[in-house]
Amino acid sequence: SAVISQKPSRDICQRGTSLTIQCQVDSQVTMMFWYRQQPGQSLTLIATANQGSEATYESGFVIDKFPISRPNLTFSTLTVSNMSPEDSSIYLCSVEDRGGRVSEQYFGPGTRLTVT
Amino acid sequence: GQQLNQSPQSMFIQEGEDVSMNCTSSSIFNTWLWYKQDPGEGPVLLIALYKAGELTSNGRLTAQFGITRKDSFLNISASIPSDVGIYFCAGSGVDSSYKLIFGSGTRLLVRP
């Protein structure tokens, strides 16, 4: 399966600021996704990062708060804007591996964000 | 929207014991996946199931896709300390092949 890295691995940020998280894959993948995992909770899909076009957001998530870029088939960024303590979570990117099936998603190690 | 009910929420077992956890849904899923998440890591895919009734093994792990397509279980035989972690079921429904819905997770603790 694809090897996925995320930067930063963790950060502590002040409320009102923004943080951009990077996701890098070692091979070209068609679909990339961003998830949020709140403390002690399960994973919730934020959006699908589409290469060359605007991301597709899930209900409850908006582009102004979570802008996403996908400039090519191996890289994506998620920005958490105007942060508040409620944004403290683990943010995970995942990819659909071209060798597998669409619903087989593989995850990066996550970015642990704490907002003070 | 679609939801998955995963149980139990947590388990504290003795090393060597077998473990069973399951997920149920009120709606049909086309795919069931089981992941394990260690502290500070992203979820790792353990088993993927694609057909109703399918039974698949991966080492000491066995998972089944329920006949009704509304449930799945994961068994771990002869548990060892490194089995400790959080196990998530996930499913993709009939309306979207890529959108995964995750269960709430089962936290497994193993006593040596």
Side-chain angles (χ1 to χ4, degrees):
Chain A
S1 60
V3 177
I4 306 162
S5 59
Q6 286 186 233
K7 288 182 182 179
S9 58
R10 58 177 62 231
D11 207 343
I12 300 173
C13 302
Q14 290 191 334
R15 69 173 66 211
T17 63
S18 297
L19 176 72
T20 295
I21 301 167
Q22 299 179 4
C23 180
Q24 179 75 53
V25 191
D26 69 343
S27 58
Q28 293 185 333
V29 293
T30 303
M31 305 193 78
M32 295 181 74
F33 309 91
W34 286 98
Y35 287 81
R36 181 177 71 183
Q37 186 176 26
Q38 294 175 301
Q41 302 295 313
S42 185
L43 286 76
T44 301
L45 180 63
I46 297 172
T48 302
N50 302 309
Q51 194 264 330
S53 64
E54 206 167 87
T56 305
Y57 289 84
E58 297 301 305
S59 175
F61 298 97
V62 295
I63 187 171
D64 289 346
K65 177 67 176 177
F66 297 102
I68 288 171
S69 78
R70 177 88 191 270
N72 56 53
L73 292 176
T74 64
F75 186 78
S76 178
T77 68
L78 169 76
T79 299
V80 186
S81 303
N82 188 25
M83 287 182 285
S84 66
E86 291 71 34
D87 294 320
S88 297
S89 294
I90 300 172
Y91 292 86
L92 297 140
C93 70
S94 74
V95 306
E96 163 256 337
D97 193 321
R98 281 195 165 178
R101 305 191 193 200
V102 172
S103 54
E104 284 188 22
Q105 292 183 23
Y106 298 87
F107 286 83
T111 295
R112 186 178 297 271
L113 171 63
T114 302
V115 183
T116 59
Chain B
Q2 293 176 308
Q3 290 185 325
L4 291 182
N5 299 309
Q6 185 171 350
S7 64
Q9 188 174 11
S10 64
M11 301 179 74
F12 192 16
I13 63 168
Q14 188 75 37
E15 182 178 358
E17 288 183 351
D18 297 343
V19 173
S20 184
M21 60 192 78
N22 69 85
C23 275
T24 60
S25 170
S26 58
S27 54
I28 291 171
F29 281 79
N30 282 338
T31 304
W32 285 95
L33 307 174
W34 285 92
Y35 288 88
K36 182 192 178 198
Q37 186 175 29
D38 292 328
E41 303 286 335
V44 173
L45 182 62
L46 300 174
I47 292 180
L49 302 159
Y50 293 99
K51 293 195 303 187
E54 180 180 357
L55 183 71
T56 298
S57 294
N58 178 8
R60 293 178 296 107
L61 278 60
T62 301
Q64 184 158 30
F65 193 143
I67 288 291
T68 65
R69 294 167 65 191
K70 294 183 179 181
D71 65 308
S72 177
F73 71 75
L74 175 70
N75 288 340
I76 305 173
S77 62
S79 58
I80 59 178
S82 61
D83 290 334
V84 166
I86 303 177
Y87 292 80
F88 291 100
C89 64
S92 64
V94 295
D95 60 340
S96 172
S97 62
Y98 65 84
K99 191 182 298 185
L100 289 182
I101 309 297
F102 278 80
S104 53
T106 296
R107 182 180 296 274
L108 179 63
L109 298 171
V110 179
R111 185 188 305 118

